[in-house]
Amino acid sequence: MASPLLRRAATALASLLLLGGIVAAHAMRPAFEDATAPIGHRGSAHEPVDARRFTIEVEKVEFAHAVSDGDALGAGPRLTADPGNRAIWVVVWATMTATDASLTVPDPVLLETGSGYSYAASDRLSNALNAFGTRLDPGIPRHGAFAFEVPRERLTDPTLTVSAREGLDDRLSASAEVGLGLDADRIERLVDAAADSLAIEPVTYR
């Protein structure tokens, strides 16, 4: 028969092992923010990317030294890229479609670069896809643009990251990461051929 001292030692060891298991299990449990963060889906330009709650297809990328809102009455005030930062506007044209519920596109919509920088789409263009009030209804494609002001030397391997949600709460919203497929040579050609000014037309139905 084990002595009382041995029994107490065995009990203490078992308690320590149980406590260690609880701590390890808690450490492996995802944080609340991680568990409810937007669910990301990856894809490439020129093909539909299915983010489950919506789809997005990037159709065209244009570069410009200035952008503005445009409509049938002409162009609005020009937003000129900062020459001090050797910046240029990157305009990404895409079509988005909600799948089963009406969604909005919240800020920020990001252009992430291979050099580790992220740039938010301009919120000063009322015609952009990320403009306040742009609504995605199920099964009805909407076509428009996102515009990013980016320093030229940081334009490497850009990826568009966009999410959509039903309301103000972005928990469990969907997110798409779309590689634009622009290598260094292609970016250089687009910069050289950049338009003086590009009008962003209102979002349209497709």
Side-chain angles (χ1 to χ4, degrees):
M1 180 180 296
S3 68
L5 181 60
L6 288 176
R7 286 198 300 270
R8 286 197 295 272
T11 300
L13 179 60
S15 298
L16 287 173
L17 291 173
L18 179 60
L19 180 61
I22 292 173
V23 170
H26 183 75
M28 290 187 293
R29 181 181 179 183
F32 178 78
E33 293 80 4
D34 295 333
T36 58
I39 301 168
H41 301 269
R42 295 178 179 270
S44 302
H46 309 297
E47 63 183 30
V49 178
D50 185 356
R52 296 194 179 180
R53 305 200 67 190
F54 70 92
T55 62
I56 181 170
E57 183 172 359
V58 171
E59 297 150 358
K60 181 172 62 174
V61 180
E62 295 182 287
F63 285 25
H65 297 289
V67 294
S68 64
D69 284 312
D71 56 31
L73 299 177
R78 286 170 37 131
L79 304 176
T80 302
D82 184 358
N85 288 332
R86 287 178 43 82
I88 198 161
W89 285 98
V90 181
V91 180
V92 180
W93 296 89
T95 296
M96 298 183 67
T97 309
T99 54
D100 54 11
S102 294
L103 305 173
T104 57
V105 180
D107 285 331
V109 174
L110 298 176
L111 190 71
E112 301 186 44
T113 71
S115 51
Y117 294 91
S118 297
Y119 297 90
S122 174
D123 58 4
R124 295 184 290 166
L125 294 164
S126 59
N127 287 347
L129 260 171
N130 59 306
F132 178 77
T134 299
R135 182 184 178 94
L136 307 177
D137 291 315
I140 304 176
R142 302 211 69 182
H143 174 74
F146 303 105
F148 306 87
E149 186 180 4
V150 184
R152 300 178 196 185
E153 64 271 14
R154 293 180 181 172
L155 263 174
T156 58
D157 192 24
T159 296
L160 174 73
T161 299
V162 57
S163 62
R165 65 190 184 198
E166 288 189 56
L168 295 177
D169 190 349
D170 64 356
R171 289 178 296 178
L172 299 179
S173 60
S175 177
E177 299 175 9
V178 185
L180 301 186
L182 300 179
D183 59 22
D185 290 340
R186 177 64 174 156
I187 289 172
E188 185 176 354
R189 290 196 297 271
L190 286 171
V191 168
D192 290 341
D196 289 335
S197 184
L198 184 63
I200 307 301
E201 303 299 330
V203 175
T204 59
Y205 292 98
R206 280 285 178 93

